[in-house]
């Protein structure tokens, strides 16, 4: 379905709408709702809501850079949840979507009963690190706009973060590549400028005040985000950290294992939750 917030049209998919327990999924950079299809297709006992973030998938890719700020995205998501009549739900986010989900939880904790973060972080905790990252993200955005999407995807799928995906079946690798190539170049470039890790303020100092249950999921081969999750675990008052034998995109590399860990966590830690 298409839902409008201001001048931005968002693509939203809802499965099992009759169910009360609700999970909302947010994808990563260069992703879309498609990234969650394998994980969610056998999830029949809960309502599944998947959203294309601004500049991604079938959602709008406006020219105005201000529309892509994380603060604006959080406001848009809150408006979408109002339109979908969602409250007391579990928010699931991967990578960029995980940063977005965590930021949403810090701003609107009363709407959530739980938070599941896959390979995510609260941002960078020093201004110098954020400045350096903004410079790098601006360089990537320029590459997208001047070199074209194919050249960017060729380079992006070969960064160290996704090295473990080279071991996946060819059909899975091709599906991920097609998802990336289906993106709008302007949307990706503006997303880097507006919602990149360098543009986002740090949420590290807010973790101790986030009392909702949080599940942190990371891949054993993703050393950087394993360490970030361990550091987050020390700050969050109600968190669990699970590791899967995979890289950064766990739900792509090991969808069945990812779904199992999430479902087991929910069955043990989540009681009720109506939307």
């Amino acid at each position: 379905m298409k839902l409008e917030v201001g001048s931005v049209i968002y693509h939203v998919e809802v499965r099992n709408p009759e169910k009360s327990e609700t999970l909302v999924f947010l994808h990563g950079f260069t992703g879309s709702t498609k990234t969650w299809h394998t994980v969610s297709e056998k999830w029949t006992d809960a309502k599944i809501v998947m959203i294309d973030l601004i500049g991604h998938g079938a959602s709008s890719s406006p020219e105005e850079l201000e529309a892509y700020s994380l603060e604006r995205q959080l406001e848009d998501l809150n408006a979408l949840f109002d339109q979908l009549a969602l409250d007391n739900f579990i928010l699931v986010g991967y990578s960029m979507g995980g940063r977005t989900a965590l930021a949403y939880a810090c701003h609107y904790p009363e709407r959530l009963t739980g938070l599941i973060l896959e390979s995510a972080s609260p941002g960078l905790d020093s201004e110098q690190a954020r400045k350096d990252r903004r410079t790098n993200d601006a360089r990537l955005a320029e590459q997208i706009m001047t070199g074209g999407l194919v050249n960017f995807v060729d380079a992006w799928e070969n960064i160290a973060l996704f090295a473990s995906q080279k071991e996946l079946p060819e059909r899975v690798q091709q599906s991920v590549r097609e998802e990336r190539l289906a993106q709008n170049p302007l949307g990706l470039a503006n997303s880097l400028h507006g919602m990149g890790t360098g543009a986002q303020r740090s949420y590290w100092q807010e973790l101790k005040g986030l009392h909702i249950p949080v599940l942190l999921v990371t891949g054993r081969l993703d050393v950087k985000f394993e360490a970030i999750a361990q550091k987050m675990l020390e700050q969050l008052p109600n968190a669990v950290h699970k590791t899967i034998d995979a890289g950064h995109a766990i739900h792509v590399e090991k969808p069945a294992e990812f779904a199992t860990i999430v479902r087991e966590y929910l069955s043990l830690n989540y009681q009720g939750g109506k939307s």
Side-chain angles (χ1 to χ4, degrees), residues 123-194:
L124 299 166
D125 54 7
S126 81
E127 180 51 43
Q128 185 58 51
R130 288 193 292 274
K131 180 180 178 182
D132 292 345
R133 184 58 178 266
R134 286 195 297 272
T135 300
N136 186 63
D137 285 346
R139 188 179 303 116
L140 284 175
E142 180 67 17
Q143 288 176 9
I144 294 171
M145 296 306 294
T146 60
L149 192 57
V150 173
N151 286 336
F152 171 75
V153 170
D154 285 345
W156 187 249
E157 64 189 9
N158 282 293
I159 65 174
L161 200 63
F162 303 127
S164 55
Q165 293 185 20
K166 300 294 185 184
E167 305 302 318
L168 293 173
E170 182 61 34
R171 60 175 178 79
V172 178
Q173 293 188 53
Q174 186 60 31
S175 177
V176 173
R177 180 175 173 83
E178 289 172 358
E179 185 179 8
R180 289 167 172 159
L181 288 173
Q183 304 292 342
N184 183 312
L186 178 64
L188 292 186
N190 280 349
S191 181
L192 282 168
H193 283 299

Side-chain angles (χ1 to χ4, degrees), residues 47-98:
K47 182 190 300 180
I48 303 295
V49 179
M50 298 168 281
I51 300 171
D52 281 346
L53 296 171
I54 190 169
H56 285 77
S59 289
S60 297
S61 295
E63 293 184 12
E64 308 80 34
L65 194 55
E66 313 83 67
Y68 294 80
S69 72
L70 183 61
E71 291 74 20
R72 179 78 70 84
Q73 180 67 98
L74 299 181
E75 292 172 0
D76 284 5
L77 286 172
N78 205 45
L80 286 175
F81 299 150
D82 284 342
Q83 291 186 43
L84 292 163
L86 299 182
D87 267 307
N88 301 319
F89 59 94
I90 296 158
L91 189 55
V92 185
Y94 159 66
S95 201
M96 179 187 77

Side-chain angles (χ1 to χ4, degrees), residues 104-125:
Y104 182 87
C106 289
H107 286 272
Y108 304 98
E110 71 282 354
R111 296 200 78 155
L112 303 180
T113 53
L115 181 65
I116 298 171
L117 303 177
E118 175 193 356
S119 306
S121 85
L124 299 166
D125 54 7

Side-chain angles (χ1 to χ4, degrees), residues 190-209:
N190 280 349
S191 181
L192 282 168
H193 283 299
M195 290 179 61
T197 311
Q200 173 193 317
R201 73 175 176 86
S202 172
Y203 282 88
W204 279 105
Q205 298 304 313
E206 303 196 26
L207 297 184
K208 288 184 177 179

